[in-house]
Structure formats: C-alpha cells, structure tokens
Amino acid sequence: MAESDLVARPDRNLAMELVRATEAAAIRAVPFIGKGDKLAADGAAVDAMRAFLGTVEFDGVVVIGEGEKDRAPMLFNGEHVGTGRGPQADIAVDPIDGTSMTAQGRQNALSMIAVSDRGTMLDASSVFYMDKLVADHHGIGVISMEQTVAENIRELAKAKGKPVADMVVAVLDRPRHAELIEEIRAAGAGTRILLDGDVAGGINAARYETRIDLCIGVGGSPEAVVTACAIKALGGFIEAKLAPKDDAERQRGIAAGLDMDRIYDAEGLVKGGNTMFIATGVTDGGLVEGVRRKGPIIRTESILLRSRSGTLRRITSDHLADRWL
C-alpha cells in the first residue's frame, strides 16, 4: 500500500485507539446509572470521549454528532477531532446510545463510534428519523422495504430454513410502532421489544449467534448510519428510508440534498468497504457487558467491527480504578 493510502484511509490500528474513547465514556457514565439524570450521564460521557479523541493520531470530522435530537450535550456536527495528523475519516459518535436506559439503570446502553473514509458517510442530520430494516446475510436479495412486514418475515424465514413461528423481530418500544407490532404477531412471528438502543438491535439481527432475526421500525437517522458501518463488517443487510416528522423537516432534508423517497442500502448510508464500528458497554446487554467494578479494577467489554477485514473482535480491559477517581 502506498504511503498516501495510509494517510488517506483509516487503518486497523485506529480502531484499537478509538476504543479508549468509548471505554472512557462508558466509565464516566457509571456514577449516573440509575440516578434519573440522563443529561448529566450524557455530559460526562461526551466530555470523556472528546478528551480521549483529542489524543488519537487521526484527522476526524464529526459527520453525525450526538445530542441534537434531544438537546443533550454533544460532539457537534463538523467538529474536528484527533490530532489532525494521520488517516482522514468521517466519524459518527454516540457517547451513550441509551441515555434514558442509563438514567433508569436499564440494560443495553452503549458508548460507540463509527468510522469511514473521509467523505463517505451520509449526513442525514437534517432529518432525525429513519425507517429501518436490518437482517443478516440471508436477507440480501430476499427482503426489502418495498415488501410488507409479513412478506419479509416469511421470505427471511424461508431463506434461513426455519418456521415463521420461530422468527424473532426486534422493535423499539414506541407508540408509533403499535400497529407494526401487531403486524409482526399477526404474521406468526414473535417480538423482542427494545426500550431503547436500536443500534444493538440491528447488530444482533445481523449476527449469526443471536435469537433476533430481524430489526425493523423507525429510529434515529444517525443510528441508521452507525448501524450500516457495523453491518458492512458483518456482511449483513440493511435498508433505511427517511421519516421526517412534518413537512418543515421534510423540506429541510430536501434542502440538504437528501432524497425523501429513496430506500438507502448499506452503500447509500456509508460508501466503500472501509468502515469501523467500536462500542463499549455502559450497562449489561445482549451485545456486550456493562462496566463492572471488581476490587481495585474497573472492567469494560467492547466490540470492534471492521469491514475491510470482515472481523469482529471482543476486548475485555481492566483499568486501575484509582486512575479514574
């Protein structure tokens, strides 16, 4: 590989550096677990992530910043992070995916970062929500947002060689999904209702060893792009369509160059074959365990997904607790 490529493209070592930022954000969020103040939890995680990102040898631009949706503290869109030297990258950050879950002491809260080559990540920040459809590799060429929920469940079940009755579909627990949940159950499948965290739901739908077969429904548009970075590493399937709340938001999206009628696939959400997804558990969940205090150490569990090599790595780290006091 030419030296210019090493400068222009995020490499494998970058993910190992960025995991320090998600670990730091997760650890700093711990004192706020179950305390009912999601903004305080998010603020602590944002400050920790920003501080650690500033030490990483890369030139990152935040394409998708956390916080705009609910007026939380944020790493803002357009913010430059890293030392400014080394690989040039687009990044999407969510210091805590599941701030409400953290505040309530519930499962499946994550700290995460997604990375791709500079200029490849869709900036969907002008429209906060997207309708999504996520599955593993069996879904490729089989399911589509142009089909009904029942058709997608039946076709995916056939491709996976399992009865429809054994299919499990993950859906966010939101009033807007009441009819969707009924459609899933009417088709004969079961549901896994997610209180929050549809990124973890989508990743689990794309992994071969989980009980979730499909993740569908309307969630954040930033989460769709982040999920696409992970799906590319897992070889799975994702489609998403923008879901503006009203005509004013629709017009903002159009003015920003977004196509309201387009069904975005993984390539439409993030271009190319060089994506990374890094996540550390804040609270326990189906994807990773949460932060644990064990005597003099703090233990974190993280996953690193990289599309270029098609790998998923799990990292368990023990941190001396007195360094975090």
Side-chain angles (χ1 to χ4, degrees), residues 21-44:
T22 57
E23 288 173 344
I27 290 170
R28 288 303 188 196
V30 167
F32 302 95
I33 294 174
K35 302 297 177 60
D37 190 344
K38 69 176 186 177
L39 293 184
D42 210 24

Side-chain angles (χ1 to χ4, degrees), residues 69-93:
K69 187 163 53 184
D70 55 4
R71 300 181 182 178
M74 65 177 73
L75 279 148
F76 58 85
N77 286 14
E79 180 172 353
H80 283 257
V81 295
T83 63
R85 301 182 297 273
Q88 298 179 339
D90 286 349
I91 70 169
V93 296

Side-chain angles (χ1 to χ4, degrees), residues 73-264:
M74 65 177 73
L75 279 148
F76 58 85
N77 286 14
E79 180 172 353
H80 283 257
V81 295
T83 63
R85 301 182 297 273
Q88 298 179 339
D90 286 349
I91 70 169
V93 296
D94 201 341
I96 304 180
D97 177 42
T99 52
S100 295
M101 294 187 295
T102 301
Q104 296 165 8
R106 297 182 181 273
Q107 293 189 333
N108 292 311
L110 300 170
S111 176
M112 58 192 181
I113 297 172
V115 185
S116 64
D117 295 334
R118 176 67 56 81
T120 59
M121 200 175 283
L122 178 70
D123 180 0
S125 58
S126 56
V127 179
F128 291 148
Y129 294 103
M130 295 187 93
D131 196 3
K132 307 164 198 172
L133 179 66
V134 188
D136 69 4
H137 67 281
H138 291 98
I140 299 172
V142 171
I143 62 175
S144 169
M145 295 190 78
E146 295 180 333
Q147 298 177 169
T148 67
V149 172
E151 287 171 340
N152 281 326
I153 292 171
R154 287 196 298 269
E155 292 304 312
L156 186 59
K158 187 187 301 181
K160 298 183 83 167
K162 62 192 298 185
V164 168
D166 289 347
M167 295 287 286
V168 177
V169 182
V171 186
L172 280 174
D173 185 14
R174 300 290 186 271
R176 62 179 177 264
H177 289 152
E179 185 176 337
L180 173 60
I181 290 168
E182 289 305 312
E183 287 184 68
I184 294 166
R185 293 171 178 168
T191 54
R192 178 72 55 84
I193 305 301
L194 308 174
L195 293 175
D196 213 333
D198 63 336
V199 172
I203 292 173
N204 280 328
R207 293 171 58 215
Y208 75 93
E209 59 185 2
T210 72
R211 282 285 294 119
I212 296 175
D213 298 290
L214 195 61
C215 185
I216 57 177
V218 176
S221 54
E223 287 82 354
V225 179
V226 169
T227 302
C229 289
I231 295 306
K232 284 200 163 190
L234 293 168
F237 169 93
I238 183 171
E239 285 187 347
K241 187 175 182 180
L242 291 156
K245 299 189 299 292
D246 52 37
D247 188 61
E249 188 177 61
R250 179 182 178 86
Q251 293 306 315
R252 283 198 300 273
I254 292 171
L258 298 173
D259 187 340
M260 298 297 116
D261 298 317
R262 177 179 174 180
I263 295 175
Y264 290 86

Side-chain angles (χ1 to χ4, degrees), residues 286-301:
L287 193 60
V288 285
E289 289 187 346
V291 180
R292 298 173 183 271
R293 178 68 182 264
K294 293 180 176 289
I297 63 102
I298 297 170
R299 179 167 294 167
T300 58
E301 185 180 16

